[in-house]
Amino acid sequence: MEDQREALRKIITTLAVKNEEIQSFIYSLKQMLLNVEANSTKVQEDLEAEFQSLFSLLEELKEGMLMKIKQDRASRTYELQNQLAACTRALESSEELLETANQTLQATESEDFPQAAKQIKDGVTMAPAFRLSLKAKVSDNMSHLMVDFAQERRMLQALKFLPVPSAPVIDLAESLVADNCVTLVWRMPDEDSKIDHYVLEYRRTNFEGPPRLKEEQPWMVIEGIRQTEHTLTGLKFDMKYMNFRVKACNKAVAGEFSESVTLETPAFMFRLDASTSHQNLRVDDLSVEWDAMGGKVQDIKAREKDGKGRTASPVNSPARGVPSPKRMPSGRGGRDRFTAESYTVLGDTLIDGGEHYWEVRFEPDSKAFGAGVAYRSLGRFEQLGKTAASWCLHVNNWLQASFTAKHANKAKVLDAPVPDCLGVHCDFHQGLLSFYNARTKQLLHTFKAKFTQPLLPAFTVWCGSFQVTTGLQCHQQL
């Protein structure tokens, strides 16, 4: 009977999930119907506006060309009419001169003939008809104003809807994840000369494989990319993977997104374990501030919260989230993991292999600060670098300033300016612990050791504060 009930519960759960999927799909279909109506109206209005713009342009061109013909006709008409009038006047003058010459020739016996003949000869010399050009000043040929719209007509007949760009294909072999940067490379399946730019979207996720429809992290958008690759810089890899997708756009429309891809973004993630800190250290996730009254204030708050005069268990601390397989469980009920002058706090994630990198920015006015690694067996009274269980770089601004590398109670003075931000690089298998100026990547010191136990990030501060940055990759230049 119980097996049947369990089977029925599974069927009910399956049906409920399927019903939810169908309801979601029905909603999507209804939304698509609304989108089809709205989008078709918009593209129709856009098409009419484009044709109206084309009509207006053709009409404007027509008016301009007609005006050119009218102006050319008026100019030629003016020149020909002036030439015609001059020729008419010359002809009339020539006819009068011809008639006079004939009359004079018939009166050859007249005493005035020589004088009359001389006058006619002079008149002919000065006659407009002999000073007139008998070549038309302009041509009546108007062929230079003829048009041939055959090519334009073919172009207009070839007008069609602008093709939607194809979805790009992301080239995983050419894409690269390194130095907290991601270079994504893609290509078009077919050559498309009308592509204007690309749009890249990405988001962080903790799930491997194809991107899920529902994610807590939103898509981040980068527009106006002109090349078929793009590099995202200065990323913080605080989640295990990143999803990427790309679409191509021409002047009018965007194509479909490419198939989304998931790239692994490996980086060392940890938080500061408040349950390990000295009672005078106020821990908030990845930030620590030294508080001279910390112990008394925290004890009072703990008693008020617990209601029984006991310190509340750090297992319930809001600073602790979903546990990692390498994340250390809280082993003590009170904040007395470190005490006396060991103002220390440990990270909550073990280092038992591979390479890891993190950075820490500390207040320059801190009287003392140290950063490094330690075995979890580090004693509660032991200070970083003063036993064989810890390695650190230590800054001392109290009494006599110093900048040293410490291990097993031995200190080496470092001949370098104290940076405001330290980079810590741990290569567990090679037994190397290196410290860098996080800004310039200048190597400050390297410990060469043989780590026999898993390590924990370790920090100490007195009369100061610091902030840790995780989710960073090992830089190639380190």
Side-chain angles (χ1 to χ4, degrees):
M1 178 68 72
E2 188 59 33
D3 291 343
Q4 292 177 334
R5 287 180 178 275
E6 183 62 26
L8 187 57
R9 290 191 190 97
K10 291 182 178 179
I11 292 174
I12 291 173
T13 301
T14 302
L15 288 174
V17 171
K18 179 57 67 175
N19 288 346
E20 184 178 354
E21 291 178 352
I22 295 174
Q23 288 175 352
S24 177
F25 185 61
I26 290 174
Y27 174 79
S28 299
L29 290 176
K30 290 180 178 179
Q31 189 62 44
M32 289 177 68
L33 285 171
L34 295 176
N35 291 343
V36 165
E37 185 66 26
N39 292 337
S40 61
T41 300
K42 181 181 184 304
V43 296
Q44 180 176 338
E45 292 174 351
D46 291 344
L47 180 64
E48 290 176 349
E50 287 293 332
F51 269 99
Q52 186 59 47
S53 175
L54 189 59
F55 294 153
S56 299
L57 178 60
L58 290 172
E59 189 65 31
E60 184 179 341
L61 290 173
K62 174 185 173 183
E63 291 298 326
M65 297 176 80
L66 286 176
M67 180 60 67
K68 175 64 177 176
I69 294 175
K70 292 177 181 179
Q71 290 174 347
D72 199 278
R73 179 179 64 187
S75 174
R76 290 167 183 258
T77 299
Y78 176 79
E79 292 292 340
L80 290 174
Q81 285 179 344
N82 285 343
Q83 196 169 16
L84 177 59
C87 288
T88 300
R89 290 193 298 272
L91 180 59
E92 291 175 353
S93 175
S94 180
E95 288 177 345
E96 291 177 359
L97 194 58
L98 177 60
E99 183 179 353
T100 301
N102 285 330
Q103 292 176 356
T104 302
L105 184 60
Q106 291 174 3
T108 55
E109 301 298 332
S110 170
E111 296 178 358
D112 297 330
F113 179 78
Q115 182 66 28
K118 184 178 183 304
Q119 290 178 350
I120 291 173
K121 181 180 178 182
D122 293 341
V124 169
T125 302
M126 300 299 295
F130 292 95
R131 293 183 288 109
L132 189 69
S133 172
L134 297 181
K135 182 181 179 180
K137 290 185 177 181
V138 294
S139 172
D140 58 354
N141 188 346
M142 303 289 283
S143 60
H144 66 290
L145 295 176
M146 296 292 291
V147 295
D148 180 8
F149 287 149
Q151 181 179 354
E152 287 78 5
R153 189 175 290 108
R154 286 193 296 270
M155 291 177 61
L156 289 172
Q157 290 171 344
L159 283 179
K160 56 184 179 181
F161 292 107
L162 193 65
V164 177
S166 302
V169 178
I170 297 177
D171 191 342
L172 289 176
E174 294 295 326
S175 299
L176 177 66
V177 179
D179 295 348
N180 285 92
C181 300
V182 176
T183 297
L184 200 70
V185 180
W186 61 88
R187 57 179 173 82
M188 295 300 296
D190 302 302
E191 185 176 352
D192 188 346
S193 61
K194 295 186 179 298
I195 290 178
D196 180 67
H197 65 277
Y198 298 91
V199 175
L200 168 66
E201 293 190 356
Y202 68 95
R203 67 182 176 187
R204 297 174 174 84
T205 179
N206 278 323
F207 296 94
E208 189 177 8
R212 308 188 310 166
L213 293 178
K214 293 183 179 180
E215 280 281 0
E216 294 182 359
Q217 300 294 325
W219 286 103
M220 308 300 291
V221 182
I222 301 176
E223 299 182 339
I225 301 172
R226 301 294 178 179
Q227 306 298 324
T228 55
E229 67 175 71
H230 186 76
T231 299
L232 300 168
T233 61
L235 298 173
K236 183 179 179 182
F237 293 156
D238 51 2
M239 302 183 82
K240 295 182 179 179
Y241 305 94
M242 290 182 71
N243 301 146
F244 296 90
R245 62 185 185 183
V246 183
K247 64 181 177 182
C249 307
N250 54 34
K251 292 290 187 181
V253 66
E256 295 293 329
F257 276 107
S258 65
E259 289 290 332
S260 297
V261 300
T262 301
L263 297 180
E264 185 178 6
T265 54
F268 184 46
M269 291 291 299
F270 67 90
R271 285 168 293 188
L272 298 176
D273 188 352
S275 69
T276 68
S277 71
H278 189 284
Q279 64 178 359
N280 287 109
L281 299 185
R282 191 163 55 207
V283 179
D284 182 10
D285 195 18
L286 289 171
S287 299
V288 172
E289 183 176 2
W290 192 84
D291 184 358
M293 297 296 293
K296 296 181 179 179
V297 172
Q298 288 158 6
D299 286 343
I300 293 172
K301 289 184 177 180
R303 284 195 296 270
E304 290 176 350
K305 182 176 180 180
D306 194 47
K308 298 179 180 179
R310 293 184 290 105
T311 304
S313 171
V315 173
N316 300 318
S317 170
R320 304 188 63 83
V322 179
S324 164
K326 295 184 179 182
R327 193 152 287 170
M328 292 295 298
S330 175
R332 293 176 179 267
R335 299 180 73 254
D336 58 351
R337 173 65 177 85
F338 294 101
T339 188
E341 294 183 357
S342 180
Y343 300 110
T344 303
V345 61
L346 302 177
D348 66 353
T349 304
L350 288 171
I351 300 173
D352 57 6
E355 294 184 60
H356 306 284
Y357 179 79
W358 62 96
E359 294 178 354
V360 54
R361 182 190 304 275
F362 58 92
E363 184 182 349
D365 294 335
S366 302
K367 290 185 177 180
F369 169 77
V373 296
Y375 295 144
R376 51 184 172 175
S377 60
L378 183 67
R380 60 187 300 227
F381 295 99
E382 296 173 349
Q383 300 179 29
L384 286 187
K386 290 194 173 184
T387 69
S390 62
W391 297 256
C392 77
L393 246 61
H394 190 269
V395 178
N396 182 25
N397 292 318
W398 176 247
L399 297 180
Q400 186 175 359
S402 64
F403 184 31
T404 56
K406 290 185 174 184
H407 172 62
N409 206 26
K410 295 180 180 179
K412 177 183 177 181
V413 177
L414 302 181
D415 185 16
V418 178
D420 62 349
C421 187
L422 280 175
V424 185
H425 178 230
C426 179
D427 187 336
F428 187 86
H429 291 306
Q430 295 295 326
L432 299 176
L433 179 67
S434 301
F435 295 86
Y436 295 84
N437 182 324
R439 296 190 182 277
T440 66
K441 300 301 180 286
Q442 174 194 3
L443 177 63
L444 301 173
H445 183 74
T446 296
F447 288 105
K448 296 181 180 180
K450 185 177 181 180
F451 301 126
T452 59
Q453 304 175 32
L455 300 167
L456 287 169
F459 308 88
T460 183
V461 66
W462 178 45
C463 296
S465 62
F466 65 88
Q467 170 77 40
V468 180
T469 301
T470 63
L472 304 177
Q473 287 188 316
C474 302
H475 293 266
Q476 292 178 340
Q477 61 266 39
L478 295 186

